[in-house]
Amino acid sequence: MNILILGSGAREHAFAWKLSHSKLLTNLFIAPGNAGTLQFGKNINLALTDFAAIKKACIANNIEMVFVGPEDPLVNGVYDFFKNDKRLNQIAVIGPSQEAAKLEGSKSYAKAFMQRHNIPTAAYKEFDAGNYEEGILYIKNHALPVVLKADGLAAGKGVLICQNHIEAMAEFELMIQQSKFGAAGKKVVVEEFLKGIELSVFALTDGKHFVLLPEAKDYKRVGIGDTGLNTGGMGAVSPVPFAHETFMQKVVEKIIQPTINGIQKEELDYKGFVFFGLIKVEDEPMVIEYNCRMGDPESEVVLLRLKNDLVQLFISCSRGELDKEKIEIDQRCAATIVAVSGGYPGEYEKGKPIDLGYLENPESIKTIEAEGGIMVFHAGTKEEGNEIVTNGGRVLAVSALSDTIGEAIELSKNILGQIYFEGMYFRDDIGYEFAD
Ligand code: AMP
Ligand code: GLY
């Protein structure tokens, strides 16, 4: 089978690596990909907003399946574009339809979906220019802190946790009256603040059945001890020790099963990953958000622990036969630590040569991967001549598998010690709550 991966991050490198293990794979293409994905397939340089270019690439390369990494093309309707095109509609697309992708693309849609299906989440109300004054009054009387969420996609910046009413009202005004987040913030969800520990849970669904993947915890803040600005993710670990069996049973019964039932009942076309951003409040799971894709950096630990043939899982997903699949999980622990460009998530420079130390030798990479279950996944990298240079904020995600989370973290850190680029920074406390 010829497969095209859409995306260019460490998540997509991890998927390229995992798919490449399958005997069912013939040729792999990644668009646009990065310097790492070249190890496993051919990169195609195109913009993910350019559906015509994606179509051309699919026809030219006899693509039979497309896996969509990031949310943007999904929210913009790439699935529907394939289904509605005579030359593309036989291609299996792993990802939801535009309507179903609203579970991530519109907070208001997601909240209403959860209400309809009795899925535990924070109490909320939504406002726009039409009921603005009512919104101000609602915020004034709301317990603190209060959470404001721009309805649409806002590059991860659309959620504000306000500690006082004045700040909350000012932000609310900025969103609705001054278009702080553009069209994405024209509607605002105001919700209750939930206190607890977060975790990420993933299911692959065919719209009727689902399989559960290993859970993970990511570290979003840039600074040591979860301080500083939010980022795309500075690292992740899996499993999550507090997600014990009885808790995960509750997650399945109260959240995952009702979500999949809701998708089926509402006849949403959904063949892809559902990412449940959860919070454990006392001992109860609640939904903070849905994403219509896999997480990044969570994929860089989850895929390391998944033993199944991923091409086979995707085929079963596209045929509506996930009930025939049984997930096999490596019982070891995985950790990933992300090396970022200096200045990230603020301004940073690109084009810095990356010195991979002894890892530059492909044989060394093969040896350490075979011995220790270590993978250096590329994010913002590209090949320039015969050098690999930085090409983004998050540059590399160094992942490792070992018997304990602490050991997996130490392995990642040892590898990071081999790597250098100007301005390189990583959090050396990933998994701190769990490292023994
Ligand atoms: P989201 O973009 O919905 O993932 O929100 C970003 C982050 O804001 C989440 O990962 C949480 O840390 C935090 N957050 C969002 N909603 C709430 C809430 N209702 N209570 C507490 N924290 C929240
Ligand atoms: N790591 C969080 C995300 O992928 O959205």
Side-chain angles (χ1 to χ4, degrees):
M1 175 169 264
N2 292 335
I3 302 184
L4 170 66
I5 297 177
L6 295 180
S8 61
R11 167 182 50 208
E12 287 73 23
H13 188 188
F15 272 90
W17 164 78
K18 183 68 186 160
L19 292 169
S20 73
H21 287 109
S22 173
K23 289 198 176 68
L24 299 166
L25 180 76
T26 316
N27 294 303
L28 186 61
F29 300 85
I30 309 94
N34 59 37
T37 58
L38 286 169
Q39 285 172 270
F40 303 110
K42 188 168 174 283
N43 285 355
I44 302 174
N45 192 18
L46 53 75
L48 295 180
T49 44
D50 188 350
F51 290 180
I54 296 174
K55 173 175 175 172
K56 217 167 120 195
C58 284
I59 293 169
N61 297 296
N62 292 318
I63 298 298
E64 297 160 274
M65 176 180 280
V66 177
F67 166 68
V68 189
E71 63 278 16
D72 268 322
L74 293 165
V75 171
N76 290 324
V78 74
Y79 178 93
D80 310 71
F81 175 80
F82 274 74
K83 293 302 136 194
N84 296 330
D85 187 295
K86 280 198 197 83
R87 295 184 72 187
L88 303 180
N89 64 15
Q90 295 307 311
I91 298 176
V93 179
I94 302 300
S97 64
Q98 187 164 29
E99 178 67 15
K102 282 192 193 161
L103 286 173
E104 173 163 4
S106 164
K107 305 273 186 210
S108 143
Y109 180 94
K111 295 295 282 192
F113 178 91
M114 285 185 257
Q115 277 210 325
R116 282 197 294 282
H117 301 289
N118 252 325
I119 294 163
T121 187
Y124 82 107
K125 260 191 174 253
E126 62 184 56
F127 303 96
D128 58 19
N131 59 352
Y132 177 77
E133 294 302 331
E134 196 189 316
I136 290 284
L137 205 64
Y138 185 77
I139 292 171
K140 234 183 213 162
N141 293 312
H142 201 289
L144 293 172
V146 55
V147 183
L148 266 51
K149 296 186 171 182
D151 178 48
L153 291 184
K157 298 195 171 80
V159 174
L160 302 167
I161 296 171
C162 302
Q163 303 296 336
N164 67 64
H165 291 115
I166 297 188
E167 177 198 356
M169 287 187 286
E171 290 292 350
F172 183 70
E173 200 235 317
L174 281 175
M175 284 199 218
I176 292 186
Q177 312 285 24
Q178 319 286 338
S179 306
K180 175 170 178 174
F181 296 114
K186 283 286 170 197
K187 195 188 272 180
V188 175
V189 165
V190 179
E191 75 176 27
E192 167 199 16
F193 177 81
L194 299 173
K195 199 164 160 32
I197 326 177
E198 288 178 58
L199 76 156
S200 310
V201 172
F202 309 95
L204 178 66
T205 184
D206 56 21
K208 285 196 222 75
H209 321 99
F210 71 91
V211 288
L212 185 63
L213 297 156
E215 77 287 350
K217 182 175 195 304
D218 80 336
Y219 293 80
K220 291 199 175 95
R221 301 294 194 95
V222 71
I224 302 294
D226 294 324
T227 55
L229 294 174
N230 255 328
T231 69
M234 298 294 293
V237 298
S238 175
V240 180
F242 65 78
H244 46 75
E245 212 177 313
T246 46
F247 178 76
M248 287 309 288
Q249 268 167 9
K250 280 190 202 172
V251 169
V252 171
E253 278 164 29
K254 297 186 177 184
I255 292 171
I256 301 182
Q257 191 65 62
T259 300
I260 305 304
N261 291 349
I263 286 172
Q264 186 175 12
K265 217 161 133 189
E266 300 192 14
E267 296 179 6
L268 295 174
D269 212 349
Y270 204 131
K271 293 183 167 55
F273 290 101
V274 190
F275 169 153
F276 301 83
L278 304 183
I279 187 160
K280 179 171 173 265
V281 182
E282 274 142 28
D283 219 21
E284 291 300 315
M286 297 181 81
V287 178
I288 292 263
E289 64 165 349
Y290 286 122
N291 293 312
C292 62
R293 54 173 173 84
M294 273 300 288
D296 187 356
E298 289 95 328
S299 299
E300 293 95 282
V301 287
V302 168
L303 293 183
L304 236 53
R305 298 188 60 219
L306 180 69
K307 289 187 172 173
N308 297 63
D309 180 322
L310 189 56
V311 177
Q312 182 58 56
L313 278 183
F314 280 176
I315 291 173
S316 297
C317 175
S318 68
R319 291 183 180 157
E321 294 175 354
L322 274 178
D323 52 329
K324 294 189 181 150
E325 297 293 342
K326 195 169 174 302
I327 292 294
E328 287 172 63
I329 298 175
D330 192 320
Q331 290 310 311
R332 286 178 295 171
C333 300
T336 192
I337 303 177
V338 181
V340 303
S341 297
Y344 174 81
E347 289 202 2
Y348 56 85
E349 289 176 22
K350 293 183 186 176
K352 306 287 182 197
I354 302 171
D355 179 355
L356 287 169
Y358 74 82
L359 303 172
E360 221 130 278
N361 173 354
E363 285 312 309
S364 310
I365 286 255
K366 270 191 205 140
T367 312
I368 57 164
E369 283 170 12
E371 283 174 0
I374 293 171
M375 278 302 305
V376 179
F377 293 121
H378 291 223
T381 70
K382 70 171 180 185
E383 263 194 352
E384 221 169 61
N386 46 16
E387 259 185 345
I388 296 178
V389 301
T390 65
N391 191 38
R394 292 192 288 174
V395 178
L396 300 165
V398 178
S399 305
L401 260 180
S402 198
D403 289 335
T404 66
I405 290 179
E407 280 174 23
I409 286 161
E410 282 313 306
L411 273 171
S412 294
K413 282 201 231 172
N414 286 344
I415 297 297
L416 279 160
Q418 296 292 324
I419 299 173
Y420 174 80
F421 56 87
E422 195 189 311
M424 170 172 149
Y425 165 76
F426 62 89
R427 266 183 69 171
D428 69 1
D429 68 338
I430 298 300
Y432 65 92
E433 317 95 305
F434 313 124
D436 4 73

